Amino acid sequence: MARRAAAREARAKREKEAWEAGAAGERAVGGVLESLGENGWRVLHDVHWPGRPKANLDHVAIGPGGVVVIDAKNWSGTVTVHDGVLRQNGYRRDQVPVAVCAAAGAVTALLAPQHRSAVRAVVCLVQQPIGPQTLPPGAVLVGLTGLAPWLRSLPPVLRPEEVAALHASLRRDLGGPHSPELATTAALAQRAPTVLARPTGRPRNPSRTPPRNPSGRRASVGRGVPSSEGGRGLKAAVAVGVIVMSLLWLNNLTGGLLRASAPSAPAAPPGVVGQP
């Protein structure tokens, strides 16, 4: 009995430390993003992941360079990338770029066709001085110190009025009291001005400031799924993310499949969700 109690206590301590480290990492990334306001960027923090009521997106930045879904990772130890494989202390972390691309795909499905090719997925490593590089299936990996320069270097694809409109739309859909549904492929193919998600799921806690109990914190991008419901949601998000990325890749080949009649924008650099 004493041994089991000690094991539970040790596990609870590790979970608390991991949660505190993750929260510190999110605050650090959030501070960097807020500093980009003078460069025309607007930011959403800790918002819903469409289709996954128990999961959240750490940050969504909207600015001249597009819509960027950012997963903050406060990893310690040694982080390496070899042949496109991300490892932490020797362990593969393939699920991290896959998850953030799935999250970016879910966000993409909420946007009008002419804006879908402007979405990017980013994994920001708070403690790792890693320069921007692209990991399969299209996420950009970058350290905290390189995040702001990378965002500022993106070629402009959104006008100021588009940035304001997209920020307001995503704040409504992702920051409301309910988690939006994951948009279907039928909705993704629509040519309507905006693809809106119907609210569903549990009400969201309106107070985001007080720290939450580690065991009660909603799962973040790439943090694993605590239940079968979350597992199904993640699979659905990954499926839609893959579909979105495939459509955007085809869009690049055909020169405007998803843009409808919108004016052409400068080509985006590596890291666009769906880029091979």
Side-chain angles (χ1 to χ4, degrees):
M1 292 292 293
R3 184 176 300 176
R4 286 198 294 269
R8 285 195 300 269
E9 183 177 348
R11 183 169 58 253
K13 182 179 179 181
R14 288 194 300 270
E15 291 176 352
K16 180 181 179 181
E17 291 174 348
W19 179 83
E20 290 175 346
E26 291 178 23
R27 288 194 297 269
V29 173
V32 169
L33 295 175
E34 290 292 346
S35 71
L36 293 172
E38 61 184 14
N39 301 113
W41 287 85
R42 302 189 181 196
V43 191
L44 301 173
H45 306 286
D46 192 16
V47 292
H48 293 300
W49 179 334
R52 294 189 60 196
K54 295 183 179 180
N56 75 306
L57 308 177
D58 291 343
H59 311 281
V60 179
I62 307 101
V67 177
V68 185
V69 178
I70 303 168
D71 182 17
K73 293 298 182 188
N74 197 5
W75 288 351
S76 58
T78 302
V79 176
T80 60
V81 178
H82 183 66
D83 291 336
V85 177
L86 175 64
R87 295 179 184 270
Q88 179 199 15
N89 296 325
Y91 294 96
R92 294 178 68 115
R93 299 295 190 186
D94 306 74
Q95 79 281 5
V96 173
V98 170
V100 74
C101 281
V107 172
T108 300
L110 298 175
L111 305 181
Q114 67 268 25
H115 294 140
R116 292 174 188 156
S117 61
V119 181
R120 294 168 173 82
V122 171
V123 178
C124 183
L125 301 183
V126 176
Q127 297 187 44
Q128 308 294 329
I130 292 179
Q133 53 190 295
T134 304
L135 300 175
V140 169
L141 180 70
V142 64
L144 181 64
T145 56
L147 178 60
W150 181 79
L151 288 170
R152 285 193 292 261
S153 73
L154 295 175
V157 294
L158 297 177
R159 299 186 301 274
E161 57 270 25
E162 291 178 301
V163 171
L166 286 172
H167 176 263
S169 175
L170 290 175
R171 180 176 58 185
R172 180 187 66 246
D173 292 339
L174 302 179
H178 301 278
S179 176
E181 284 185 352
L182 182 66
T184 64
T185 54
L188 181 62
Q190 290 177 358
R191 297 282 179 170
T194 306
V195 178
L196 297 179
R198 294 175 295 169
T200 186
R202 298 179 179 178
R204 182 165 169 265
N205 186 350
S207 175
R208 308 306 296 257
T209 303
R212 284 169 284 181
N213 188 302
S215 61
R217 190 175 191 272
R218 294 188 301 156
S220 181
V221 175
R223 286 188 181 169
V225 182
S227 67
S228 58
E229 176 188 353
R232 290 192 296 270
L234 177 57
K235 290 177 181 178
V238 171
V240 170
V242 170
I243 292 169
V244 170
M245 290 185 283
S246 300
L247 289 173
L248 292 178
W249 179 67
L250 289 172
N251 182 49
N252 290 335
L253 293 180
T254 58
L257 182 61
L258 291 179
R259 293 193 182 95
S261 59
S264 60
V272 176
V273 174
Q275 180 167 334

